[in-house]
Amino acid sequence: MVGNPEEEIYDKVVDLTEYAKRQRWWNRLFGKNCGPVAEKYSVGTQIAIGGLSGWCVGYLFQKVGKVAATSVGGGLLLLQIANNTGYIQVDWKRVEKDVNKAKKQLKKGTNQSTQFVKQNIVITSGFIGGFLLGLAS
């Protein structure tokens, strides 16, 4: 059975965090314990760090999101008009194939995010709260 070459390449990618932990310069710079934040900071500090960084990201997301949504929506509208008037032709089967490939890659990356959230639940909850406040401001 022959596998998908892109999936094989993805599976062979080295986890850079594990690689970096084994390097001497990394250990000198960050110390041997560069694991979850929960092991290094108090709960109050974690919530403050998460909340502040979440607020900054939420505020920027609010400002940049409007421009990005307008740009992407306008671009899609222009592409659809050009497609309907005959200026361009879209290969919808290829688009569907590419979207399915992107879905598979996103599913593989989700496991790492879930593991980070579980290991750093306090800072993550602070980030989410700060992000929501940043969106509202």
Side-chain angles (χ1 to χ4, degrees), residues 78-91:
L78 289 175
L79 281 174
Q80 189 62 34
I81 290 171
N83 185 34
N84 286 338
T85 57
Y87 285 109
I88 62 171
Q89 284 188 328
V90 178
D91 184 2

Side-chain angles (χ1 to χ4, degrees), residues 51-114:
L52 183 62
S53 60
W55 182 85
C56 292
V57 170
Y59 185 77
L60 288 174
F61 187 79
Q62 175 197 25
K63 298 298 180 187
V64 175
K66 290 177 185 177
V67 174
T70 303
S71 300
V72 170
L76 289 174
L77 179 67
L78 289 175
L79 281 174
Q80 189 62 34
I81 290 171
N83 185 34
N84 286 338
T85 57
Y87 285 109
I88 62 171
Q89 284 188 328
V90 178
D91 184 2
W92 290 110
K93 291 186 189 273
R94 185 172 179 185
V95 170
E96 183 179 358
K97 186 178 96 176
D98 290 344
V99 167
N100 289 334
K101 189 187 325 177
K103 283 182 187 178
K104 287 180 185 177
Q105 290 178 346
L106 283 174
K107 284 182 183 178
K108 288 182 179 180
T110 304
N111 292 337
Q112 291 177 344
S113 301
T114 305

Side-chain angles (χ1 to χ4, degrees), residues 113-121 124:
S113 301
T114 305
Q115 183 180 3
F116 175 81
V117 169
K118 286 179 182 176
Q119 289 178 345
N120 301 293
I121 191 70
T124 304

